[in-house]
PDB file of all heavy atoms in Angstrom:
ATOM      1  N   LEU A 132     -38.480 -18.235  39.418  1.00 97.00           N
ATOM      2  CA  LEU A 132     -39.574 -18.461  38.473  1.00 97.00           C
ATOM      3  C   LEU A 132     -40.819 -17.678  38.864  1.00 97.00           C
ATOM      4  O   LEU A 132     -41.267 -17.747  40.004  1.00 97.00           O
ATOM      5  CB  LEU A 132     -39.925 -19.953  38.404  1.00 97.00           C
ATOM      6  CG  LEU A 132     -41.078 -20.328  37.474  1.00 97.00           C
ATOM      7  CD1 LEU A 132     -40.712 -20.050  36.019  1.00 97.00           C
ATOM      8  CD2 LEU A 132     -41.455 -21.791  37.656  1.00 97.00           C
ATOM      9  N   VAL A 133     -41.347 -16.925  37.922  1.00 96.00           N
ATOM     10  CA  VAL A 133     -42.672 -16.321  38.036  1.00 96.00           C
ATOM     11  C   VAL A 133     -43.517 -17.135  37.077  1.00 96.00           C
ATOM     12  O   VAL A 133     -43.313 -17.079  35.867  1.00 96.00           O
ATOM     13  CB  VAL A 133     -42.667 -14.831  37.640  1.00 96.00           C
ATOM     14  CG1 VAL A 133     -44.084 -14.279  37.640  1.00 96.00           C
ATOM     15  CG2 VAL A 133     -41.755 -14.031  38.534  1.00 96.00           C
ATOM     16  N   GLU A 134     -44.430 -17.929  37.621  1.00 94.00           N
ATOM     17  CA  GLU A 134     -45.199 -18.833  36.770  1.00 94.00           C
ATOM     18  C   GLU A 134     -46.157 -18.078  35.870  1.00 94.00           C
ATOM     19  O   GLU A 134     -46.826 -17.141  36.285  1.00 94.00           O
ATOM     20  CB  GLU A 134     -45.985 -19.840  37.623  1.00 94.00           C
ATOM     21  CG  GLU A 134     -45.092 -20.929  38.161  1.00 94.00           C
ATOM     22  CD  GLU A 134     -45.860 -22.150  38.594  1.00 94.00           C
ATOM     23  OE1 GLU A 134     -46.674 -22.662  37.792  1.00 94.00           O
ATOM     24  OE2 GLU A 134     -45.644 -22.577  39.719  1.00 94.00           O
ATOM     25  N   TYR A 135     -46.200 -18.531  34.619  1.00 90.00           N
ATOM     26  CA  TYR A 135     -47.109 -17.966  33.631  1.00 90.00           C
ATOM     27  C   TYR A 135     -48.532 -18.364  33.996  1.00 90.00           C
ATOM     28  O   TYR A 135     -48.813 -19.515  34.294  1.00 90.00           O
ATOM     29  CB  TYR A 135     -46.774 -18.488  32.232  1.00 90.00           C
ATOM     30  CG  TYR A 135     -47.811 -18.118  31.199  1.00 90.00           C
ATOM     31  CD1 TYR A 135     -47.860 -16.833  30.691  1.00 90.00           C
ATOM     32  CD2 TYR A 135     -48.758 -19.041  30.769  1.00 90.00           C
ATOM     33  CE1 TYR A 135     -48.816 -16.488  29.748  1.00 90.00           C
ATOM     34  CE2 TYR A 135     -49.716 -18.695  29.832  1.00 90.00           C
ATOM     35  CZ  TYR A 135     -49.738 -17.414  29.328  1.00 90.00           C
ATOM     36  OH  TYR A 135     -50.685 -17.065  28.412  1.00 90.00           O
ATOM     37  N   LYS A 136     -49.421 -17.390  33.955  1.00 82.00           N
ATOM     38  CA  LYS A 136     -50.847 -17.649  34.175  1.00 82.00           C
ATOM     39  C   LYS A 136     -51.599 -16.984  33.045  1.00 82.00           C
ATOM     40  O   LYS A 136     -51.431 -15.803  32.792  1.00 82.00           O
ATOM     41  CB  LYS A 136     -51.286 -17.090  35.518  1.00 82.00           C
ATOM     42  CG  LYS A 136     -50.687 -17.837  36.689  1.00 82.00           C
ATOM     43  CD  LYS A 136     -51.285 -17.356  37.997  1.00 82.00           C
ATOM     44  CE  LYS A 136     -50.823 -18.191  39.134  1.00 82.00           C
ATOM     45  NZ  LYS A 136     -49.653 -17.782  39.813  1.00 82.00           N
ATOM     46  N   SER A 137     -52.424 -17.754  32.373  1.00 76.00           N
ATOM     47  CA  SER A 137     -53.213 -17.221  31.275  1.00 76.00           C
ATOM     48  C   SER A 137     -54.192 -16.186  31.809  1.00 76.00           C
ATOM     49  O   SER A 137     -54.824 -16.398  32.835  1.00 76.00           O
ATOM     50  CB  SER A 137     -53.963 -18.360  30.577  1.00 76.00           C
ATOM     51  OG  SER A 137     -54.819 -17.847  29.603  1.00 76.00           O
ATOM     52  N   GLY A 138     -54.316 -15.071  31.067  1.00 66.00           N
ATOM     53  CA  GLY A 138     -55.233 -14.014  31.483  1.00 66.00           C
ATOM     54  C   GLY A 138     -56.683 -14.368  31.223  1.00 66.00           C
ATOM     55  O   GLY A 138     -57.581 -13.799  31.789  1.00 66.00           O
ATOM     56  N   GLY A 139     -56.913 -15.340  30.320  1.00 56.00           N
ATOM     57  CA  GLY A 139     -58.281 -15.728  29.986  1.00 56.00           C
ATOM     58  C   GLY A 139     -59.009 -14.600  29.289  1.00 56.00           C
ATOM     59  O   GLY A 139     -58.484 -13.540  29.047  1.00 56.00           O
ATOM     60  N   GLY A 140     -60.245 -14.818  28.996  1.00 49.00           N
ATOM     61  CA  GLY A 140     -61.056 -13.776  28.375  1.00 49.00           C
ATOM     62  C   GLY A 140     -60.846 -13.683  26.888  1.00 49.00           C
ATOM     63  O   GLY A 140     -61.701 -14.004  26.111  1.00 49.00           O
ATOM     64  N   GLY A 141     -59.697 -13.228  26.482  1.00 47.00           N
ATOM     65  CA  GLY A 141     -59.388 -13.115  25.056  1.00 47.00           C
ATOM     66  C   GLY A 141     -60.097 -11.955  24.404  1.00 47.00           C
ATOM     67  O   GLY A 141     -60.658 -11.086  25.042  1.00 47.00           O
ATOM     68  N   MET A 142     -60.083 -11.954  23.107  1.00 46.00           N
ATOM     69  CA  MET A 142     -60.611 -10.846  22.316  1.00 46.00           C
ATOM     70  C   MET A 142     -62.111 -10.666  22.470  1.00 46.00           C
ATOM     71  O   MET A 142     -62.600  -9.571  22.381  1.00 46.00           O
ATOM     72  CB  MET A 142     -60.288 -11.059  20.841  1.00 46.00           C
ATOM     73  CG  MET A 142     -58.829 -10.885  20.504  1.00 46.00           C
ATOM     74  SD  MET A 142     -58.283  -9.195  20.741  1.00 46.00           S
ATOM     75  CE  MET A 142     -59.101  -8.414  19.371  1.00 46.00           C
ATOM     76  N   SER A 143     -62.856 -11.737  22.716  1.00 44.00           N
ATOM     77  CA  SER A 143     -64.308 -11.610  22.730  1.00 44.00           C
ATOM     78  C   SER A 143     -64.781 -10.606  23.781  1.00 44.00           C
ATOM     79  O   SER A 143     -65.751  -9.913  23.574  1.00 44.00           O
ATOM     80  CB  SER A 143     -64.958 -12.967  22.972  1.00 44.00           C
ATOM     81  OG  SER A 143     -64.547 -13.497  24.223  1.00 44.00           O
ATOM     82  N   ASN A 144     -64.100 -10.477  24.907  1.00 42.00           N
ATOM     83  CA  ASN A 144     -64.516  -9.545  25.944  1.00 42.00           C
ATOM     84  C   ASN A 144     -64.188  -8.102  25.599  1.00 42.00           C
ATOM     85  O   ASN A 144     -64.829  -7.192  26.098  1.00 42.00           O
ATOM     86  CB  ASN A 144     -63.843  -9.897  27.277  1.00 42.00           C
ATOM     87  CG  ASN A 144     -64.410 -11.161  27.868  1.00 42.00           C
ATOM     88  OD1 ASN A 144     -65.479 -11.602  27.475  1.00 42.00           O
ATOM     89  ND2 ASN A 144     -63.689 -11.750  28.798  1.00 42.00           N
ATOM     90  N   GLU A 145     -63.193  -7.857  24.757  1.00 44.00           N
ATOM     91  CA  GLU A 145     -62.803  -6.495  24.442  1.00 44.00           C
ATOM     92  C   GLU A 145     -63.904  -5.744  23.718  1.00 44.00           C
ATOM     93  O   GLU A 145     -64.016  -4.551  23.857  1.00 44.00           O
ATOM     94  CB  GLU A 145     -61.528  -6.495  23.603  1.00 44.00           C
ATOM     95  CG  GLU A 145     -60.318  -6.918  24.414  1.00 44.00           C
ATOM     96  CD  GLU A 145     -59.039  -6.825  23.617  1.00 44.00           C
ATOM     97  OE1 GLU A 145     -58.979  -6.002  22.680  1.00 44.00           O
ATOM     98  OE2 GLU A 145     -58.122  -7.571  23.936  1.00 44.00           O
ATOM     99  N   PHE A 146     -64.732  -6.426  22.951  1.00 43.00           N
ATOM    100  CA  PHE A 146     -65.786  -5.762  22.207  1.00 43.00           C
ATOM    101  C   PHE A 146     -66.863  -5.202  23.123  1.00 43.00           C
ATOM    102  O   PHE A 146     -67.524  -4.255  22.774  1.00 43.00           O
ATOM    103  CB  PHE A 146     -66.391  -6.708  21.162  1.00 43.00           C
ATOM    104  CG  PHE A 146     -65.444  -7.003  20.047  1.00 43.00           C
ATOM    105  CD1 PHE A 146     -64.805  -8.218  19.960  1.00 43.00           C
ATOM    106  CD2 PHE A 146     -65.163  -6.038  19.090  1.00 43.00           C
ATOM    107  CE1 PHE A 146     -63.924  -8.479  18.935  1.00 43.00           C
ATOM    108  CE2 PHE A 146     -64.278  -6.280  18.059  1.00 43.00           C
ATOM    109  CZ  PHE A 146     -63.651  -7.515  17.992  1.00 43.00           C
TER     110      PHE A 146
END
Side-chain angles (χ1 to χ4, degrees):
L132 179 66
V133 174
E134 284 199 52
Y135 171 77
K136 292 187 173 91
S137 175
M142 289 294 288
S143 60
N144 289 343
E145 290 184 27
F146 291 105

